[in-house]
Amino acid sequence: MARSLRMALVLALLAAGPAIAGPAAGSIEARLAEELLASLGPAVPADAQVALTLGMPFEGPLDAVRDIGLDPRTGIFQARIVSNGRTVELSGRADIEVAMPVPVRRIRPGEIIEAADLTTIRLSIGRAGAGFIADADALVGLSPRRQIPAGRLIQVGSVGSPIVVQRNRPVTLVYEDGALMLAARGRALQEGGVGDVVRVMNIASSTIVTGTVTGAETVSVSGPRVPQASQQSFAQQ
């Protein structure tokens, strides 16, 4: 009877399959990946993903993460965790990927970038780099300063407001000082979009001034810094 009961228990355990104790496989890596992202803070975009691999297998529970850090040059991470009341040091490799916008077509200077012109690709954070624009929404409405090929990352400074002042083309110079507003004809010495600072020659006086592009073929000159001779030339218009 006792032998039959023991045999029945063994058969029941075999039918149930292997027992799983503690956290599911990979949960330690997932927890460390979350802690690593949190430790990097705003240096890493919120949509970043981490593929983390331990250098040596670790099967104990992860009760707490005391410290974790990453060497961005090598991708090696080091962590101190608490497992069953004791401190354990772990290390391994962490590959951080971020989503970066790239054009789906060649975009030429003067064209306005639309949302449909962009898609995103995932790259390691080391390849993405700080010199490229990471926010697709920030690109919409801007215009390339030089041609951007399809599928290429977009460099900071390679796009800006659409060009509304053309080099060597006529512009209106506007001088404002309180209620006083004067205007003069000028010739742009640089191209620029709204908000850009450009140099302009006052046609009446041949004086070269620096102003801010405020609209189509319009450059605003800062009042207090404009020499008296320039103000007089404005008044002649």
Side-chain angles (χ1 to χ4, degrees):
M1 179 69 177
R3 185 171 180 274
S4 298
L5 180 60
R6 285 197 298 273
M7 181 62 69
L9 288 172
V10 168
L11 290 173
L13 288 172
L14 290 173
I20 299 177
S27 62
I28 290 178
E29 286 87 346
R31 173 78 181 279
L32 289 173
E34 291 176 1
E35 295 285 344
L36 182 59
L37 278 179
S39 73
L40 296 174
V44 174
D47 63 349
Q49 296 179 356
V50 179
L52 187 146
T53 306
L54 290 171
M56 296 286 291
F58 181 78
E59 298 180 355
L62 195 162
D63 301 325
V65 177
R66 295 295 187 207
D67 185 39
I68 190 166
L70 175 71
D71 184 339
R73 294 172 299 129
T74 63
I76 302 299
F77 80 90
Q78 305 232 346
R80 288 191 307 117
I81 70 166
V82 177
S83 178
N84 286 330
R86 62 191 182 93
T87 300
V88 180
E89 293 190 359
L90 301 176
S91 63
R93 182 172 183 82
D95 293 315
I96 302 177
E97 290 188 345
V98 294
M100 299 290 290
V102 296
V104 297
R105 65 176 182 87
R106 181 171 54 187
I107 306 178
R108 296 178 173 86
E111 294 184 303
I112 308 301
I113 299 173
E114 300 180 359
D117 294 325
L118 303 170
T119 187
T120 57
I121 59 173
R122 301 204 72 88
L123 292 173
S124 68
I125 195 168
R127 287 186 60 196
F132 299 101
I133 297 173
D135 184 1
D137 291 339
L139 289 166
V140 175
L142 300 183
S143 179
R145 293 295 184 252
R146 54 183 176 273
Q147 182 172 280
I148 304 175
R152 292 283 186 87
L153 296 178
I154 300 173
Q155 290 183 319
V156 175
S158 66
V159 293
S161 299
I163 299 299
V164 293
V165 166
Q166 301 286 343
R167 184 173 180 268
N168 287 328
R169 298 291 297 171
V171 295
T172 299
L173 279 168
V174 177
Y175 162 73
E176 293 185 71
D177 187 5
L180 175 65
M181 183 173 73
L182 302 173
R185 290 181 299 122
R187 180 169 61 85
L189 302 180
Q190 297 170 282
E191 67 177 21
V194 173
D196 290 341
V197 176
V198 297
R199 293 184 303 121
V200 179
M201 186 181 74
N202 184 319
I203 293 176
S205 66
S206 297
T207 302
I208 296 176
V209 297
T210 301
T212 302
V213 179
T214 55
E217 300 178 348
T218 305
V219 177
S220 178
V221 181
S222 177
R225 298 183 182 86
V226 177
Q228 187 65 28
S230 297
Q231 294 183 29
Q232 291 172 352
S233 66
F234 288 173
Q236 291 171 5
Q237 304 305 311

